[in-house]
Amino acid sequence: MPVIDLQAERDARSEAAFRAYVALHERAAATGRLPDMAAAVRAFETWMRIAGLSEAERREILG
C-alpha cells in the first residue's frame, strides 16, 4: 500500500489552484469582461481555501 504525503498533496493542489487563478486573472485583465473577472475572483477564493489560509491571513492578503 503506497504512502501518501498529505502535505505534498495539499501543496500540489494549492499550486494548481494558484496557477488556475493566475490564468483566469490574466484573461480577465486582457478582456476586461465582468464574467472573466468573476471567474478570477472565484479561483482566488478557491486557492485561499485549498491553501488552508486562516481568516486573518485572507484579510491580510486582501489588504
Side-chain angles (χ1 to χ4, degrees):
M1 177 181 214
V3 176
I4 298 172
D5 182 346
L6 295 179
Q7 184 62 47
E9 179 66 24
R10 189 177 307 120
D11 290 347
R13 290 184 66 217
S14 176
E15 185 177 325
F18 190 77
R19 282 195 310 267
Y21 156 68
V22 169
L24 288 167
H25 179 270
E26 288 174 352
R27 179 178 174 169
T31 67
R33 295 183 60 238
L34 191 56
D36 292 337
M37 292 176 196
V41 168
R42 286 192 301 273
F44 188 74
E45 290 173 344
T46 298
W47 167 72
M48 289 192 298
R49 181 180 44 78
I50 290 173
L53 300 177
S54 69
E55 186 64 31
E57 291 169 320
R58 291 176 187 204
R59 288 182 189 272
E60 185 177 329
I61 288 173
L62 295 173

